Amino acid sequence: MSGTPLKKRIVVGLSGASGAIYAVRLLRCLRRAGVEVHLVVSPYGRRLLRDELGITDVSSATLIGAPDDGLVIHKYRDAGSVLGSGSFHTDGMIVCPCSSKTLASMAAGFGDNLLDRSVQVTLKEMRRLVVVTREMPMSRIDLLNALRLSEAGAVICPASPGFYMLPRSIDDLVDFVVGKLLDLVGVQHSLRTRWADQLAMPDPRPPGGHAG
């Protein structure tokens, strides 16, 4: 047998909460890192891509910027896909962004579509599941659903960018969230997300001044 390590394989679920920009940036960073990506987009996720980014044809060319065999797009209703089987090894799953509807469906364990079924498989196989909630504020029902998933082993990671990196653009804020997601599934990246990086930067404030 060859000593070459197996390529990392991550499932990404994209639902209808606002935040398509997070999902597309995540997909591009995963592929840039050489990760094999399996994508499931809900019907409202497709509408989200259209409304927020003008993407009407969901393909590797539109999402990554060029045809890419390393991004495999699965049909949402195909619960019989390989993603629905625990024997298909993956290194985890990220649901980004995750709507309240999808959060509720995942917490209930319906599994009547491929996104939900992939979540079930990820949890039952005890693989890393990261749920990127984007709704705000969250109702008590949302919080209980998030708690139920957390107790089942999921990591609840709201799309809440930090500001200690002194962001100067929307891209900086997006990269902060995406970098955190990559950390959670063990994918190396060069996005500026770490507190140590900020400590190494010169203080932008004038001498004797303050930030506020």
Side-chain angles (χ1 to χ4, degrees):
M1 293 179 61
S2 170
T4 303
L6 295 175
K7 180 183 295 185
K8 209 171 192 59
R9 179 186 286 160
I10 299 291
V11 181
V12 175
L14 197 166
S15 71
S18 181
I21 191 171
Y22 291 118
V24 169
R25 181 65 167 143
L26 173 64
L27 293 173
R28 294 182 177 184
C29 287
L30 286 171
R31 286 301 300 134
R32 186 174 301 143
V35 176
E36 179 183 305
V37 181
H38 291 260
L39 175 66
V40 184
V41 185
S42 75
Y44 282 115
R46 288 178 177 269
R47 178 173 177 175
L48 177 74
L49 288 169
R50 182 197 71 194
D51 291 350
E52 294 190 353
L53 297 178
I55 296 175
T56 56
D57 174 31
V58 178
S59 66
S60 62
T62 58
L63 295 171
I64 303 299
D68 186 348
D69 293 338
L71 172 61
V72 182
I73 301 174
H74 298 260
K75 295 181 179 179
Y76 177 73
R77 291 296 177 190
D78 185 12
S81 160
V82 292
L83 298 185
S85 172
S87 63
F88 183 74
H89 177 77
T90 72
D91 296 285
M93 179 174 181
I94 304 173
V95 183
C96 174
C98 181
S99 66
S100 288
K101 178 180 183 296
T102 297
L103 184 71
S105 182
M106 293 190 303
F110 286 147
D112 62 348
N113 60 68
L114 187 56
L115 198 161
D116 287 355
R117 176 58 188 164
S118 299
V119 166
Q120 287 183 333
V121 169
T122 303
L123 290 175
K124 80 181 183 68
E125 298 293 331
M126 301 184 71
R127 299 167 185 162
R128 175 58 60 94
L129 172 65
V130 182
V131 179
V132 187
T133 53
R134 224 287 319 149
E135 306 278 5
M136 61 176 292
M138 296 180 73
S139 71
R140 187 171 187 270
I141 294 174
D142 292 336
L143 294 171
L144 289 174
N145 285 332
L147 176 61
R148 191 173 187 182
L149 282 170
S150 177
E151 291 175 339
V155 176
I156 308 300
C157 184
S160 303
F163 288 83
Y164 55 81
M165 299 301 293
L166 305 180
R168 298 178 180 273
S169 67
I170 291 177
D171 286 344
D172 288 342
L173 297 174
V174 171
D175 281 355
F176 183 94
V177 172
V178 171
K180 178 68 73 173
L181 301 180
L182 296 174
D183 286 344
L184 288 171
V185 292
V187 174
Q188 293 186 350
H189 63 88
S190 58
L191 303 178
R192 294 175 64 253
T193 62
R194 307 188 197 289
W195 181 250
D197 295 338
Q198 170 63 11
L199 293 178
M201 296 172 60
D203 191 338
R205 297 171 298 181
H210 56 82

